[in-house]
Amino acid sequence: MKDIMIKLENVTYEYKSYIDEEVLTAVKNVNLEVEKGEFLAILGHNGSGKSTMAKMMNGLNMPTNGEVYVMGMNTKDEEKIWDIRAKAGMVFQNPDNQLVATIVEEDVAFGPENLGIPPTEIRQRVDEALEIVEMSQYKKHAPHLLSGGQKQRIAIAGILAMKPDCIIFDEPTAMLDPNGRLEVMNTIKKLNKEEGKTIVLITHYMDEAVEADRIIVLSEGEISIEGTPREVFRHVEKVKKLGLDVPQVTELAYELRKEGIDIRDDVLSVEELVELL
Ligand code: ADP
Ligand code: MG
């Protein structure tokens, strides 16, 4: 049997305006299973419901209809909510909004302190978490003096210190420079491949989505394309119609094919294209 980390069952989410009682359905009747150890990327244009869906995956948003389960625990079960949030941690776009303390190690300790973990174990967890994100040498530094990529890695360490099985990233590289993006993506890949964490990554960078095991594309709150990166990006026109890009090399292969050059329609890396040509 498959080991399921997160399950959405007929999930709908509505925002209700208190002023005019208008209802906006941000997520519509979505069914989704994220397997333990899987790396899932979520794509979709602005307003397609990605963040709303992500926040349901750790009980920050409760579905209007349907059920969300995290490791078999229903997010509506009030007794389980802290368990759920510790098991499925969330990292957001702006690292500055996630850092709370004036010294790196204190910041990383904040989560486990709130979980009531004993001090000696907290120290151990903080050291371990900083080691994983390769920021141990900055332990005593002030977070506000770090680069964007470093700050985001500290935010990730803060989540890791709570020992989650799954981490949900909502556009974690959107505010970073290319270097910072690379640092954070390398950390995310390491968390998945070496630490065995289940990863849900919302991104609008196609080169990041290509790293995932599976991609879903949201459109108007519904899953409109789903598959491996190869399966998804071979539908160049469909992906573009949804307001998204395909990876540059996939686009190039697509243009070459249109010019009559016989080339596979699921090229994902420069190396592959070079070999095919
Ligand atoms: P994405 O993350 O894909 O950009 P969101 O989940 O943020 O999409 O938003 C989905 C839809 O819900 C959008 O139409 C957005 O305007 C609306 N929305 C998001 N947050 C709120 C909110 N707090 N109140 C009302 N509507 C919201
Ligand atoms: Mg969003």
Side-chain angles (χ1 to χ4, degrees):
M1 223 183 76
K2 279 189 297 183
D3 224 345
I4 302 300
M5 183 72 219
I6 294 172
K7 181 173 179 151
L8 276 67
E9 225 173 57
N10 296 316
V11 165
T12 293
Y13 190 93
E14 294 173 348
Y15 290 104
K16 289 191 186 71
S17 160
Y18 293 103
I19 302 159
D20 51 13
E21 311 232 315
E22 193 94 7
V23 172
L24 187 147
T25 309
V27 174
K28 290 176 199 153
N29 214 23
V30 165
N31 287 290
L32 177 70
E33 286 183 349
V34 184
E35 268 181 63
K36 212 153 185 262
E38 186 176 8
F39 181 168
L40 174 76
I42 303 179
L43 299 173
H45 58 79
N46 275 340
S48 58
K50 303 182 298 295
S51 295
T52 304
M53 190 160 121
K55 285 188 203 143
M56 285 193 280
M57 292 180 171
N58 80 337
L60 285 176
N61 276 348
M62 291 301 154
T64 312
N65 284 307
E67 313 293 330
V68 177
Y69 299 93
V70 175
M71 295 178 88
M73 298 180 281
N74 192 322
T75 57
K76 285 178 188 159
D77 186 345
E78 281 169 28
E79 281 175 14
K80 297 276 165 61
I81 196 66
W82 295 107
D83 249 6
I84 289 170
R85 297 213 179 126
K87 290 285 171 215
M90 242 185 119
V91 175
F92 296 94
Q93 201 175 88
N94 189 342
D96 289 320
N97 293 345
Q98 301 172 81
L99 303 176
V100 288
T102 52
I103 298 173
V104 164
E105 63 178 353
E106 282 174 13
D107 199 282
V108 179
F110 188 77
E113 270 166 7
N114 280 336
L115 292 178
I117 310 286
T120 43
E121 192 184 334
I122 292 181
R123 224 159 292 139
Q124 201 181 329
R125 287 187 181 203
V126 168
D127 287 346
E128 239 175 56
L130 285 172
E131 185 79 41
I132 293 171
V133 301
E134 291 163 30
M135 286 295 287
S136 301
Q137 72 209 83
Y138 295 93
K139 202 168 150 172
K140 306 282 180 192
H141 284 230
H144 73 274
L145 296 177
L146 301 174
S147 72
Q150 289 174 325
K151 281 186 207 170
Q152 197 60 302
R153 285 189 286 149
I154 296 303
I156 295 171
I159 297 296
L160 280 177
M162 291 189 275
K163 300 231 177 237
D165 290 297
C166 173
I167 307 182
I168 301 147
F169 293 88
D170 192 351
E171 303 200 23
T173 64
M175 302 186 72
L176 306 180
D177 61 17
N179 251 337
R181 277 185 58 203
L182 207 64
E183 285 171 29
V184 168
M185 268 317 286
N186 284 337
T187 304
I188 292 174
K189 283 191 270 181
K190 179 177 176 185
L191 291 176
N192 181 245
K193 302 277 169 327
E194 293 173 28
E195 303 294 324
K197 305 289 182 199
T198 307
I199 302 290
V200 176
L201 172 67
I202 297 173
T203 181
H204 59 258
Y205 292 109
M206 302 307 134
D207 56 336
E208 295 179 0
V210 162
E211 306 282 355
D213 300 318
R214 181 163 61 119
I215 296 176
I216 61 173
V217 183
L218 283 189
S219 172
E220 317 295 333
E222 294 178 289
I223 298 177
S224 57
I225 315 181
E226 176 175 3
T228 62
R230 258 182 226 290
E231 287 162 357
V232 167
F233 289 125
R234 79 198 309 173
H235 302 292
V236 174
E237 273 154 41
K238 190 168 176 194
V239 169
K240 287 188 165 183
K241 235 181 235 150
L242 294 171
L244 301 170
D245 290 324
V246 297
Q248 260 182 346
V249 62
T250 311
E251 171 101 44
L252 178 58
Y254 171 74
E255 293 297 332
L256 289 171
R257 212 166 43 249
K258 275 207 309 204
E259 295 299 319
I261 295 173
D262 182 23
I263 216 167
R264 266 180 20 220
D265 67 353
D266 62 352
V267 178
L268 273 188
S269 75
V270 175
E271 293 75 24
E272 272 176 342
L273 184 61
V274 169
E275 186 156 324
L276 288 169
L277 287 174

